[in-house]
Amino acid sequence: MALDAVLALAVLVCMITGSFADTGGPGGPTFGTRSPELRSVVLMVVGAAALVLRRRSPMPVLAVTGAVTLVELVAGEPPAPVAMSAVIALYTVASRTDRPTTWRVGLLTMAVLTASAMCFSRTSWYSQENLGIFAWTGMASAAGDAVRSRRAFVDAIRERAERAERTREEEAGRRVAEERLRIARDLHDVVAHHIALVNVQAGVAAHVMDKRPDQAKEALAHVREASRSALNELRATVGLLRQSGDPEAPTEPAPGLAVLDELVDTFRNAGLPVDVACAHELTAMPAAVDLAAYRIIQEALTNVRKHAGPGARAEVSVVRVGPAVEVTVLDDGAGGRPGPDGADGPAGPAGPESAGRGTAADGGGHGLIGMRERAAALRGSCSAGPRYGGGFRVQAILPVTAGAGEDV
């Protein structure tokens, strides 16, 4: 209101100053040859005072300023420039309402004031003063509409930018959540695999420590090697949480089928015979598919070693079937599988044992869930369940084309 009060005072000064000018004299326009009447001064003060409220009540202010202008045009001789307050009020209405309202109100104000000036003027109806009222009211409507359009355009750009910023933040949050899930899967695979091997080898060492020290020493060497591998993979995985500019961030490639023989050797050293059939052309697979296949085999063999029981054998097959890679891990063990609570299922070649393994296929622990999540991330599938006649089967179908452009 302070700004509007200053504007109203400036308009009042301009109107009073203009009321001393006489444009209809015989010698042309003159200044100071006439003075405004008391009625004109009151009308100018009322019109200027109404402008103080032009932002809060634009329509009532236009009605007041239009009324005092109309009175001055009808009764003034010659009329004082009270129309200046109506022009400011009409601009405010046009800048704060919609375009149809601007057209209706602008045309009505323009027609009423121009017609009054032409009908009650002491000069000819086409005089410059009358045409000036027509021009000033028209320009006020056009200027107000332009300002309103500009303001709406800027608001739309700002709203679009804010919406884009919110979308970027939501996308960043989604990517962070996906990365956390991926790191959690990697940590589970690394810890479950190596700790299971350490547990087995430590048990072997404790069992033969007194009778076969050389075999115990070999088992402890395997424990040391498995522990070192676990630490290295944990360091590489946790290192992904470092800042990108950290010089200590890991640069080693992620494990894949190229090092499948090394993975299988760790299980063979732990006492699990494993036969491998892997096509040679699979070494050129996308990195995401390569890593997923490696982790699925690692988790499946870990489950075989933990749950299949003594004397079990495992078979690993990785073949290309059309546009996908089929990863299969079989075992002939009689041990149960982890149920939903992570406990081992009952053992046996049939009956209760099959129920335990079926429970794992339906829900399973974190390992089975992680394998399914890895396959689903590549738009593939993973199934796990008991085999007919005993044993367990894990099969994953991984589309090769899905790993080329997606992160896992």
Side-chain angles (χ1 to χ4, degrees):
M1 292 186 65
L3 182 60
D4 290 337
V6 173
L7 176 63
L9 180 60
V11 171
L12 178 61
V13 172
C14 292
M15 288 190 297
I16 292 178
T17 303
S19 63
F20 287 93
D22 184 8
T23 59
T30 58
F31 184 80
T33 57
R34 74 180 184 97
S35 58
E37 299 178 1
L38 179 61
R39 181 197 67 257
S40 299
V41 174
V42 172
L43 293 176
M44 286 186 288
V45 171
V46 172
L51 294 178
V52 178
L53 302 175
R54 70 185 185 96
R55 297 176 190 267
R56 292 189 175 184
S57 305
M59 285 294 188
V61 169
L62 177 60
V64 172
T65 55
V68 296
T69 301
L70 184 60
V71 171
E72 180 64 16
L73 291 175
V74 173
E77 188 61 34
V82 185
M84 186 180 296
S85 61
V87 170
I88 301 297
L90 181 58
Y91 163 83
T92 304
V93 170
S95 64
R96 293 187 171 272
T97 58
D98 54 86
R99 180 161 294 172
T101 302
T102 299
W103 275 92
R104 290 193 298 267
V105 175
L107 289 176
L108 178 62
T109 304
M110 186 188 310
V112 171
L113 296 185
T114 303
S116 300
M118 291 180 177
C119 293
F120 298 96
S121 175
R122 66 175 182 176
T123 60
S124 59
W125 64 271
Y126 54 85
S127 62
Q128 295 181 356
E129 293 84 355
N130 300 337
L131 296 179
I133 293 178
F134 176 82
W136 280 107
T137 51
M139 287 190 296
S141 300
D145 183 72
V147 170
R148 180 194 53 77
S149 299
R150 173 67 177 176
R151 188 184 298 120
F153 176 73
V154 173
D155 291 341
I157 292 178
R158 184 182 296 110
E159 193 274 336
R160 191 180 302 115
E162 293 175 354
R163 185 170 60 251
E165 184 65 25
R166 289 194 301 268
T167 303
R168 283 194 297 269
E169 292 176 357
E170 293 173 358
E171 178 66 15
R174 185 186 65 81
R175 290 184 177 274
V176 168
E178 291 178 353
E179 183 66 12
R180 287 176 177 173
L181 179 60
R182 188 190 67 80
I183 293 175
R185 286 198 299 260
D186 286 345
L187 286 175
H188 172 270
D189 293 343
V190 171
V191 172
H193 165 62
H194 291 289
I195 296 303
L197 296 182
V198 168
N199 181 47
V200 172
Q201 295 291 354
V204 172
H207 182 69
V208 301
M209 179 67 72
D210 297 331
K211 298 180 181 180
R212 300 178 182 176
D214 54 339
Q215 188 174 352
K217 186 179 298 184
E218 182 181 356
L220 291 177
H222 291 315
V223 169
R224 183 173 62 251
E225 182 63 26
S227 302
R228 183 183 300 112
S229 299
L231 289 175
N232 291 336
E233 290 203 41
L234 284 174
R235 185 179 298 111
T237 303
V238 175
L240 295 175
L241 302 177
R242 298 178 185 271
Q243 298 294 330
S244 59
D246 194 337
E248 298 182 4
T251 57
E252 298 84 358
L257 296 179
V259 293
L260 180 60
D261 292 338
E262 299 178 9
L263 174 66
V264 172
D265 288 340
T266 61
F267 287 100
R268 289 170 178 166
N269 294 332
L272 175 65
V274 181
D275 296 328
V276 179
C278 181
H280 295 290
E281 67 271 10
L282 296 176
T283 56
M285 287 193 307
V289 179
D290 196 23
L291 175 61
Y294 178 88
R295 292 302 189 193
I296 289 174
I297 295 173
Q298 182 185 49
E299 179 62 29
L301 291 178
T302 301
N303 286 340
V304 173
R305 189 65 189 88
K306 290 169 60 178
H307 304 291
R313 298 180 61 88
E315 299 178 6
V316 177
S317 171
V318 184
V319 295
R320 180 72 176 266
V321 181
V325 172
E326 180 178 311
V327 179
T328 306
V329 180
L330 307 174
D331 72 82
D332 57 0
R337 291 295 187 269
D341 57 354
D344 289 351
E353 183 275 329
S354 298
R357 296 187 181 188
T359 303
D362 296 338
H366 294 292
L368 294 177
I369 296 175
M371 288 190 287
R372 292 192 181 97
E373 289 178 346
R374 286 187 181 277
L378 294 171
R379 298 181 181 177
S381 62
C382 180
S383 60
R387 300 172 58 194
Y388 179 77
F392 207 74
R393 180 174 184 263
V394 175
Q395 185 180 42
I397 306 297
L398 306 177
V400 176
T401 56
E406 298 182 10
D407 295 333
V408 180

